[in-house]
Amino acid sequence: MKERLELLAKEAERAIEAAASDKDALLQLKARYLGRKGEFSGFLKELAALPAEDRKAAGEAINQAKTRLEDAIAILIGGIEGRWKEAALAKERLDVTLPGRTMPLGKRHPVMQVMEEIQEVFFGLGFDIAEGPEIELDSYNFEKLNIPKDHPAREMQDTFYVSSDVLLRTHTSPVQIRVMENKRPPVRVIAPGTVFRRDSDVTHSPMFHQVEGFMVDKGVSFANLKAVLADFLRTFFGRDTGVRFRPSFFPFTEPSAEADIRCVLCKGAGCRVCKGSGWLEILGAGMIHPEVFRSVGYDYEEYSGFAFGLGVERIAMLKYGIDDLRLLFENDLRFLKQF
Ligand code: DAH
């Protein structure tokens, strides 16, 4: 048996050597010689017939021969697979220095970005958001805001009329009326939106955007107005921004004021943008007029409130140093991409 075992092992070794670079052939040889029905299994069966004292040595010899062949096959197959992997890697090599292909990504329009930033600040102060229609009734746009027909204040806002009592809203102030008609105090609301006026030049567009805001409760005072608006302006333009309030006139507020900030460009020295004054007019505001409260059914003895309105394009222009309003509406991607 010993000689037959050695002969078979030699034969298997030669066969394995001949198939050294062929994985399939090696697997076939493995099955043929070492498998459960393979040629070496025959020897194991013969063990039973051997005298007990020879069985252990014979068994070890068979197993050693099998292990040697198994190892030889495993090493060869490992080598073949390794070479395959290397070849695949060489072929699929990635050039990580190639520039990537980027997807063109759209962005919010700068006017919308500024509008959202303004909203963020007032969210932080606990204000809710409200919206109203762009095609508005004369009574909401004017009359309930204490601007009766034929009142000279209507000339402050040159209006697009749809019919004698329907128009494109000239400001976001009518949203004040719509909110107050539907909700009792306390109210704290901002109303961003699109507005329309018959006006068109370097600083005026027939369509533009405003953010309206107002707050009504018992005991709201002009000091609250100043605190909230100064805080807004300093959050938006920077903590050390100079802020001042000037008396002004609006039919729907009494007293009325305008807020200015120190010129963001010349820091107060005087330049073309602030027309030499060192200040920039930034918003209109005031204590809500008793006539306005009367028109929405609020008791002006019990409640008081302040309101304000600001132009979004103007703020965007100041923030980004844009000197022609029309750039914002030409939709030239080379311009818009900068924001
Ligand atoms: N509606 C005014 C305008 O368009 C802006 C404004 C001024 C709104 C004072 C207000 C305010 O709420 O109190 O010019």
Side-chain angles (χ1 to χ4, degrees):
M1 180 172 142
K2 205 170 168 215
E3 288 96 71
R4 279 189 292 123
L5 182 62
E6 268 166 21
L7 262 170
L8 183 62
K10 280 256 151 55
E11 177 197 318
E13 263 166 32
R14 272 197 297 275
I16 290 169
E17 226 169 89
S21 57
D22 185 341
K23 183 180 170 188
D24 287 338
L26 288 170
L27 288 174
Q28 271 166 23
L29 290 174
K30 188 175 173 185
R32 181 170 140 209
Y33 288 105
L34 307 168
R36 230 157 32 88
K37 289 184 182 150
E39 310 225 8
F40 279 91
S41 307
F43 288 107
L44 290 171
K45 281 179 202 136
E46 286 177 36
L47 283 181
L50 288 181
E53 64 269 27
D54 293 345
R55 244 179 251 160
K56 193 173 173 235
E60 268 170 14
I62 296 169
N63 280 332
Q64 270 171 15
K66 280 183 75 175
T67 309
R68 242 190 313 121
L69 296 171
E70 254 161 23
D71 288 351
I73 290 174
I75 288 170
L76 288 171
I77 289 181
I80 291 168
E81 287 178 343
R83 285 192 293 282
W84 285 354
K85 197 171 262 172
E86 261 167 45
L89 280 178
K91 209 164 73 191
E92 291 166 15
R93 188 189 228 99
L94 272 183
D95 183 351
V96 293
T97 65
L98 280 177
R101 253 165 281 172
T102 49
M103 290 274 271
L105 260 192
K107 265 190 269 177
R108 306 284 277 166
H109 190 280
V111 168
M112 292 300 137
Q113 287 181 34
V114 167
M115 202 128 107
E116 278 173 9
E117 278 176 48
I118 296 169
Q119 290 175 34
E120 287 296 316
V121 180
F122 285 101
F123 275 152
L125 294 169
F127 280 66
D128 292 325
I129 288 220
E131 279 179 42
E134 289 170 11
I135 301 170
E136 186 54 285
L137 294 169
D138 182 290
S139 59
Y140 282 85
N141 195 81
F142 290 127
E143 267 162 89
K144 294 181 183 199
L145 286 164
N146 196 30
I147 315 173
K149 286 218 184 328
D150 306 320
H151 190 285
R154 289 208 180 197
E155 285 191 9
M156 288 166 81
Q157 307 183 355
D158 215 346
T159 311
F160 289 112
Y161 279 93
V162 176
S163 67
S164 60
D165 53 355
V166 178
L167 45 76
L168 301 186
R169 68 179 176 192
T170 57
H171 52 180
T172 42
S173 301
V175 184
Q176 285 185 39
I177 304 295
R178 291 185 173 274
V179 170
M180 289 192 278
E181 278 184 347
N182 288 298
K183 193 176 183 302
R184 308 301 306 167
V187 286
R188 257 183 299 181
V189 164
I190 51 167
T194 312
V195 300
F196 307 87
R197 287 183 204 179
R198 296 187 45 175
D199 227 346
S200 189
D201 60 38
V202 195
T203 52
H204 295 88
S205 151
M207 184 276 307
F208 61 104
H209 299 84
Q210 289 187 331
V211 175
E212 190 84 12
F214 65 103
M215 168 172 170
V216 183
D217 201 353
K218 288 182 178 142
V220 173
S221 70
F222 201 90
N224 298 135
L225 176 157
K226 285 180 69 178
V228 167
L229 294 180
D231 184 61
F232 159 68
L233 292 172
R234 294 203 174 104
T235 305
F236 195 83
F237 288 103
R239 275 293 136 197
D240 52 357
T241 305
V243 175
R244 75 175 184 188
F245 291 84
R246 279 178 294 108
S248 183
F249 171 80
F250 299 102
F252 32 89
T253 45
E254 181 60 36
S256 303
E258 277 173 289
D260 299 340
I261 58 168
R262 267 289 180 206
C263 181
V264 289
L265 291 164
C266 65
K267 309 280 176 224
C271 68
R272 195 176 53 89
V273 174
C274 61
K275 301 194 181 85
S277 72
W279 292 93
L280 296 165
E281 193 183 307
I282 216 83
L283 56 81
M287 299 306 292
I288 297 174
H289 199 289
E291 279 302 322
V292 173
F293 277 164
R294 208 205 307 270
S295 74
V296 298
Y298 278 12
D299 180 353
Y300 58 82
E301 303 279 357
E302 192 179 355
Y303 296 110
S304 57
F306 67 81
F308 60 92
L310 51 85
V312 181
E313 279 79 2
R314 180 170 162 77
I315 291 191
M317 288 171 78
L318 293 173
K319 179 161 182 191
Y320 295 120
I322 300 164
D323 57 5
D324 187 340
L325 175 72
R326 290 169 293 198
L327 283 168
L328 287 171
F329 301 118
E330 281 168 356
N331 288 333
D332 183 335
L333 287 180
R334 290 167 303 179
F335 171 76
L336 292 176
K337 267 185 185 156
Q338 301 172 52
F339 304 97

